[in-house]
Amino acid sequence: MPTALITGATAGLGAAFARHLAAEAYSLVLVARDELRLAKTADQLKLRYGVSVEVLPADLSTEEGLARVESRLREGVDLLVNNAGFGNAGHFPDVPVANEVRMLKVHCEAVLRLTLAALPGMRERDRGAIVNVASVAAFFTRGTYSASKAWVVNFSESAATTVGPRIRVMALCPGFVRTEFHQRASMDSSGIPWFLWLKADDVVRAAMRDLAVGRRVSVPDLRYKLIVAIGRLIPRGLQAMVSQRIGR
């Protein structure tokens, strides 16, 4: 059975990845900060899908947490899903610098280090895949969140060109997804039009299809493909204005 390690695995896209991969008979390593929630999630997946589930409590904004996950990845996995992430309440430059640095630690440093920890084993076996969860926000100017996700996209595309044809690296760039993300960040999502919301399970299915055919950047759903395509044609200043009106 192949093994997948998923960060931020107890909610939202991380939990959807866990369900999807368990249904595909993957053994799972679930990473998140909340140990009790991890254990509950693992028990549910074992009961429903009959797969092996390992839990690894870790805070990826800390050196200790990162080192724990790096160590597990060096033991070998077939698929790494770098999903952990969050948004800050408030807008740049009013967010405390410590919060901004923590975001960069989780969105950028953790993605870099965990990718580097997983790759040696994948290259030795000449197979493997890494999905780095970014966002449609990566293609627009919207504060430090979009800046960090732009790094994830650029990094993923760059890594994909150097790791070899049998190891796939892909940036997943969903739009607004019905998860706990906005509530956790105390963000008001009431201004987001209903037709822009996606379901987490649909996003994961689209992501895994794109990974299977070797895409380096996955933008699930035709609506968001059109938004990204149009966004590339309009001036950055107008992008920023529209983004501010729609919401984070």
Side-chain angles (χ1 to χ4, degrees), residues 32-61:
R33 291 179 298 167
D34 189 331
E35 191 167 357
L36 291 177
R37 197 171 185 184
L38 267 177
K40 181 178 179 181
T41 300
D43 288 343
Q44 291 170 342
L45 291 167
K46 290 175 188 176
L47 181 63
R48 181 173 180 181
Y49 299 103
V51 296
S52 169
V53 184
E54 177 185 343
V55 296
L56 183 57
D59 183 347
L60 298 182
S61 69

Side-chain angles (χ1 to χ4, degrees), residues 203-220:
V203 170
V204 169
R205 279 192 292 270
M208 295 305 294
R209 285 196 299 268
D210 285 346
L211 183 67
V213 299
R215 293 192 189 277
R216 294 177 179 179
V217 178
S218 171
V219 180

